[in-house]
Amino acid sequence: MIWAGWIYVALIAILVCFQACMALGAPWGHLANGGRWRGRLPPAMRMAAIGQGALLAFMGTAMAARAGIVPDWPNWTFWAAFAVTIATTIANLATPSRAERFLWGPVTVVLTICALRLAFS
């Protein structure tokens, strides 16, 4: 079970870094939010990237706690992170942005597999 936690945390760390880069102005708008923006995100969406990064960090910590990597957190945090992981996977597989679908679709599928492993072990 701990392997699922470590994989989840590693992938979440990559996603947090991605969001931080987007917030700082990286020209990767086509790889997020349905590919709505080309190049740099507009200021409001750059602020949203900060919030998304914080949410991802919360999710990674909740999963790490479930795996026994960090001290326990309330059980509801795992289930909240689990639900957001599933929703994010569906969104990334259904996005109209081909680039986003091919980049983040597989990543979120692996996150879902890890979350399922943690949920049912």
Side-chain angles (χ1 to χ4, degrees):
M1 172 169 85
I2 196 166
W3 61 266
W6 281 112
I7 293 170
Y8 193 100
V9 168
L11 291 174
I12 286 292
I14 291 167
L15 291 167
V16 168
C17 289
F18 174 78
Q19 292 296 334
C21 288
M22 297 271 288
L24 292 171
W28 301 334
H30 66 289
L31 297 174
N33 305 303
R36 178 181 277 172
W37 295 278
R38 288 270 179 245
R40 292 181 179 183
L41 295 176
M45 292 308 296
R46 289 170 71 178
M47 294 302 295
I50 294 169
Q52 290 171 334
L55 176 62
L56 289 164
F58 172 88
M59 292 167 58
T61 304
M63 292 288 177
R66 178 74 171 209
I69 298 168
V70 299
D72 284 336
W73 272 32
N75 196 41
W76 70 266
T77 63
F78 167 78
W79 292 108
F82 181 85
V84 174
T85 299
I86 300 298
T88 302
T89 300
I90 292 167
N92 277 307
L93 293 175
T95 181
S97 168
R98 182 179 175 166
E100 183 179 5
R101 190 170 51 250
F102 284 109
L103 176 62
W104 301 124
V107 171
T108 56
V109 166
V110 172
L111 288 172
T112 295
I113 291 167
C114 291
L116 286 165
R117 177 70 175 114
L118 292 169
F120 298 107
S121 59

